[in-house]
Amino acid sequence: CNYNQTGKSPIPAEAEQIRRECAGYVASQWLPEVTGGCTVAGVRAENLEQMTFADASIDVHITQDVLEHVFDPAAAFKEIARTLKPGGVHVFTVPLVRRFAASERRARLDRDGHVVHLLAEQYHGNPVGDGRSLVTIDWGYDICDHIARASGLHTQIIVIDDISQGIRARLNEVLVTFKPVGEPSLL
């Protein structure tokens, strides 16, 4: 787990409040040059597609605008489901830019691990590395179906639109995936 960090902290500012207020909170970030499970400057190195957390060990996963950057979202959804405790949730944001249209793959990896661009390259900001994260998929509302197929878990999209509170914007959905406590009920 030896790693020399330079530059700014990989912990997003909004995570600092969660860290202060939630006992047991573990901040993680994909740090490709760091072995999974190692901690660097208070941040645990994790790859959503191959997490090092134990089965059923997490109460709440929070990811913020991350799932449009993974190359194997099905693996990430499976890993999130695997690591959630029964009754646990994954609360996340992801730009649903395709809305009612089918999600569309922008980039994939070939057999040798090289990036293959299927659409024009698009990047979002990143708090680590060169400051850029490649967008690999443009999600639509069918993301819930993708999650269910990959993990067997149900996901709800929550649209927050309350002009009285100054909340009105595109791409402000919050998604919540639930892991049931026991066997599903027919009621």
Side-chain angles (χ1 to χ4, degrees):
C1 287
N2 293 331
Y3 173 71
N4 295 322
Q5 180 189 1
T6 58
K8 61 184 176 178
S9 170
I11 303 173
E14 58 272 12
E16 289 297 340
Q17 180 177 0
I18 297 170
R19 182 188 299 235
R20 284 191 307 272
E21 296 178 9
C22 298
Y25 173 73
V26 177
S28 67
Q29 175 76 35
W30 185 60
L31 303 168
E33 64 281 359
V34 180
T35 302
C38 292
T39 300
V40 176
V43 176
R44 183 174 169 138
E46 288 293 341
N47 175 347
L48 280 176
E49 298 170 8
Q50 298 175 328
M51 289 191 273
T52 64
F53 294 109
D55 293 356
S57 62
I58 306 291
D59 293 306
V60 179
H61 276 290
I62 300 171
T63 59
Q64 298 169 286
D65 294 347
V66 170
L67 290 163
E68 72 272 26
H69 302 293
V70 297
F71 282 100
D72 188 352
F77 298 138
K78 285 179 193 173
E79 281 293 281
I80 289 166
R82 177 188 68 77
T83 58
L84 278 176
K85 292 179 181 177
V89 296
H90 174 212
V91 179
F92 64 106
T93 56
V94 62
L96 300 176
V97 297
R98 302 269 305 162
R99 311 302 253 178
F100 293 100
S103 296
E104 185 173 34
R105 171 77 58 182
R106 297 188 67 84
R108 65 174 177 77
L109 295 176
D110 68 15
R111 291 183 185 153
D112 297 322
H114 299 107
V115 176
V116 176
H117 297 282
L118 307 172
L119 297 172
E121 293 178 39
Q122 184 179 42
Y123 294 88
H124 293 166
N126 187 342
V128 297
D130 67 2
R132 302 180 334 151
S133 288
L134 178 66
V135 177
T136 60
I137 189 164
D138 286 334
W139 289 107
Y141 292 139
D142 64 346
I143 189 173
C144 297
D145 297 329
H146 287 274
I147 295 167
R149 279 193 305 275
S151 70
L153 300 183
H154 173 75
T155 301
Q156 181 177 5
I157 299 173
I158 302 167
V159 178
I160 302 170
D161 184 14
D162 184 351
I163 198 66
S164 71
Q165 304 237 357
I167 301 172
R168 176 150 299 151
R170 283 191 73 240
L171 307 178
N172 69 347
E173 297 91 351
V174 176
L175 293 85
V176 182
T177 301
F178 303 88
K179 186 169 188 177
V181 173
E183 291 298 315
S185 171
L186 297 177
L187 298 177

